[in-house]
Each structure stands twice: as structure tokens, then as C-alpha cells.
Amino acid sequence: MNERIHPDVPPAEASLRLAEDEAVTLTSELIQIDTTNTGEADTVVGERAAAEYVAEKLSEVGYEVTYVESGAKGRGNVIARLPGADPGRGALLVHGHLDVVPADASEWSVHPFSGAVQDGYVWGRGAVDMKDMCAMTLAVARRLKRDGITPPRDIVFAFLADEEAGGLQGAQWLVDHRPELFEGCTEAIGEVGGFSVTFRDNVRAYLVETAEKGIAWMRLRVRGRAGHGSMVHEDNAVTRLTEAVARLGRHRFPLVMTDSVREFLAAVTELTGMEFPEDDIEGAVAKLGGLARIVGATLRDTANPTMLTAGYKANVIPSVAEAVVDCRVLPGRQEAFEREVAEILGPDVEREWVANLPPVETTFDGALVDTMHASILAEDPEAKLVPYMLSGGTDAKAFQRLGIRCFGFAPLQLPPDLDFSALFHGVDERVPVDALKFGTRVLDRFMRNC
């Protein structure tokens, strides 16, 4: 089949080109499967259809597939293992999530679930977060099995549910209830890393995630006296809550230079000559363009109010008012962060952790990092790999509980003018076709040499 599709190239190269083409098709088709995760059980679409699609593609080439519904009906996960040459070595986990955040079609240039392939891009919700990586992984997994290629060690492929709501009904559930699926895994790669950033003078770096902030979603609650809206009320729950939320939302937590951020900034200085003086670190980081949004958010803890709930009638003062705050906490800062939040809110505001997932941090060294570098250099000889901290969170938070060393490595070579960070959860999310093909080649080499 490969020779028929690509008659002028050797079979091995034809097989790889087939995988590149498949990655584009698989990305488009996965986007077309709506896996919207609102975080609310009654409005979650569920990942089952996408998981069944992945399972079929894996089974088609000979994998033994495990399908698991985690936490609730329809929250589908697919796990498959490719045996390696040395079963005594720790296995590599390659994981991606199948769910996506909601999208308002009226705001998009194309329908967010069209999976349209046009203007050199694949468009749609999940194009970069993260059905692109799922598709590249699936394409390479199929190519390895189809061609009878044995990697140096076992590779476990995991396509997961519920990452966009913290993985409580996805990776976290699987780690708690089905840890045997990841038996022997010692290292892992997942999303939000391996993408290129072009600095001045065409210096291109590929960022590998070695750390990420902790997630602490917090529900605030204030209780007061209910009453008629026409009267004077000094104990209004809505007023007291909104004042407390405003104080927290305006607060700026202290600047903290973690080891991961220092290593990133030092690497950028070496590559570009840019300086990052600590007395104006935020001003210097702002010069990084679109990347400044991610890097800037790793300089301090954040607490952003995202939801308010109170009342049921215009002329009734409610007895309870609630808010939800999305908190992201730097490694080593949880206790200090909680003390600071308590001081800002005061004793009258009840606090409840809706989710509290720890930060992730590892060092940028070892054989796996060397293989990442070699795999990128084979496709982009001038490339430099740079470690960085992600301001968001991934399923790595679950897998580190199994003692797995986690990296973000979903390789993409991006156009210099593409504001990549703005595409995550953004309108007109899209991924370049050429970037998908590049990433497939890199992942293929990486998995064959891991």
C-alpha cells in the first residue's frame, strides 16, 4: 500500500509519509467528534465516541486495546501497549486527552467542530489542545505496529478523558482505580511542549515543559440575612462577597523566581543576548511577545475570579452568595499562598477547595531529554531545546503520583508570526498542516529511539 501511494520513495520513507498524511486526517476527524467538557455533569458531551474512534484505529493495525470509562458513563479512555526490545527498562507513557473546552460557533471563522483543512491549517476546537498531539501519537503508533517496528522499551499509549476539568474523571480516576494500566512506566510525554518559538535573528527554540503550576480551584461562600430588596441591609451576602472577591482579584502575589524559570531565562539570554534583570523582570519578560503570557504567569501565583452565583429574584436579598476562583500556585508556594489568601479574604468568607492538584517539576536532563533533542535536530539542525514552566496544568499531575517523570513534548514547528499561546481555548483555534507533519516525523524518530 505504501509503495502504491508513494511509488518513488523507499518503503520506509513511504510509510512515514503515510503517517504524516494520517496525522492531518486524524486531527480533522477527531475535531469533528464533539467532546466538549463543561465541567458540569449534565452538560458534558463525553469522550466515548472519540475513544471508540481511537480504539478502532489502534485495533485495525493489531493493538490489544483497553477501553475504560472513568468516573461516569461516557467518559471513555483508551490504553494500548507496544512491547519494546528490553522489557526490563522502564516503559514510556505517551498520553493525550480527548476532551475540549466549549466553543461558541458564532465567534469563529469556521465552525469549531468542522475540522476544516484550509489555508494550510486544520481548524477547530482541540486543534492545539490537544487533538493534534493525539492524532500524531495515533499516526505514529499505527506506523510502528503496521511496520513491525520494535521500540527500545515498552511504550504505553493513553488517550484520556476529562483533562479540561482537572482529570478527576480521567487520569486522576485511572491512577486511583486502574494503576496497573501504567505498570512499569517511569517517564512520560504529554502536551504543551516541543513547540517552536522564533526569537529575533531567526533563532528558533523548542520549549519543553519540565514544570507546571499547581491548580487550586476555590469556592468562596458568604452567608448573611435574607430580606426584602427595598429595605436597608447592612448584612448583605452579595455585597460582602463581591468586596472580598474584588480584593482578591486585584491582589498581586509576590514575584518568585523558581529554578525552572531561571533556567528558561538563562537559556533565552544565551540564545538571544536578551537580559532579564530581576529588578525589572516583568518588563523584560514582556518583550517575549506572545510567549510573555505564559512566562509572565510563572513569575507569581495567581487567583482569578471566574464565577459568581447569588440570588433568585430581583427584590430578594439572598442569604448565601458564592464565587469560584481559579488559583494557580508555584512549586513550593502552597502554604504561603493559602496564608496570603486567608489574610485577603478575612474570617467571614468560607473557603472550599473544589480541586487542589499539586505542581509538577523535574530537571531538564537525562537520556530521554537527549533523545528529544536528537529527534528535533534531525528535522531542524539549527534548533535549540529550552526547558520552561507551564502556567496551566496537564494530566502530568496525575501521573507524577505514580512516580512517573513527566515532560511536555508535543513537537510542532510553527510559523514565526503565529501567536500560538493565544490559540489555546481561543477563537479560531488551528494548527498548521506542515507543523503536524513535522511533529509526526519527530515523534516517530523519538519513539523509535526512546
Side-chain angles (χ1 to χ4, degrees), residues 9 74 130 238 385:
V9 296
M130 64 171 296
V238 175
L385 256 64

Side-chain angles (χ1 to χ4, degrees), residues 327-342:
C327 307
R328 305 296 172 121
V329 186
L330 291 167
R333 274 278 303 171
Q334 186 68 33
E335 290 186 10
F337 174 81
E338 291 185 21
R339 287 196 302 269
E340 203 163 337
V341 167

Side-chain angles (χ1 to χ4, degrees), residues 2 5 12 49 60 73 101 118 126 128 135 149 154 164 196 224 255 280 304 309 313 324 338-339 373-374 385 409 427:
N2 296 348
I5 294 175
E60 185 178 86
K73 186 177 181 180
V101 296
Q118 61 186 51
V128 299
I149 297 172
D154 285 10
E164 294 293 359
S196 70
L255 286 166
D280 186 28
N304 289 311
T309 305
K313 199 171 186 296
V324 174
E338 291 185 21
R339 287 196 302 269
H373 204 172
L385 256 64
F409 186 66
V427 173

Side-chain angles (χ1 to χ4, degrees), residues 138-206:
L138 184 54
V140 173
R142 282 168 56 84
R143 179 266 215 283
L144 296 176
K145 191 72 169 180
R146 189 170 52 229
D147 291 1
I149 297 172
T150 300
R153 55 171 163 167
D154 285 10
I155 301 177
V156 176
F157 300 103
F159 302 84
L160 306 166
D162 197 42
E163 189 276 343
E164 294 293 359
L168 302 180
Q169 293 187 325
Q172 298 283 352
W173 188 95
L174 291 169
V175 166
D176 288 335
H177 296 89
R178 297 295 304 274
E180 75 280 1
L181 294 172
F182 312 104
E183 182 178 356
C185 291
T186 57
E187 295 174 302
I189 63 167
E191 64 178 326
V192 203
F195 58 92
S196 70
V197 176
T198 302
F199 294 107
R200 64 189 184 197
D201 300 325
N202 293 320
V203 175
R204 188 160 49 244
Y206 291 81

Side-chain angles (χ1 to χ4, degrees), residues 7 31 144 159 236 270 378 383 410 440:
I31 289 170
L144 296 176
F159 302 84
N236 188 316
E270 181 180 349
T440 302

Side-chain angles (χ1 to χ4, degrees), residues 13 48 58 60 77 87 119 122 215 253 262 299 318 328:
E13 178 65 19
R48 180 172 182 171
L58 290 171
E60 185 178 86
N77 305 264
D119 304 324
V122 183
I215 297 175
F253 292 86
R262 289 184 187 277
L299 299 175
R328 305 296 172 121

Side-chain angles (χ1 to χ4, degrees), residues 204-224:
R204 188 160 49 244
Y206 291 81
L207 274 56
V208 175
E209 184 210 311
T210 58
E212 61 188 48
K213 296 171 78 174
I215 297 175
W217 292 334
M218 181 172 56
R219 189 183 307 279
L220 308 180
R221 185 178 297 109
V222 170
R223 304 180 190 275

Side-chain angles (χ1 to χ4, degrees), residues 218-222 237-253 303-310 321-327 341 344-346 348-351:
M218 181 172 56
R219 189 183 307 279
L220 308 180
R221 185 178 297 109
V222 170
V238 175
T239 301
R240 288 196 289 123
L241 175 73
T242 53
E243 288 173 343
V245 168
R247 288 196 303 272
L248 183 60
R250 286 194 295 264
H251 181 73
R252 290 297 174 263
F253 292 86
N304 289 311
T306 55
M307 300 172 67
L308 290 169
T309 305
E322 295 183 341
V324 174
V325 183
D326 184 349
C327 307
V341 167
I344 295 165
L345 295 176
D348 296 335
V349 180
E350 301 174 19
R351 299 183 300 280

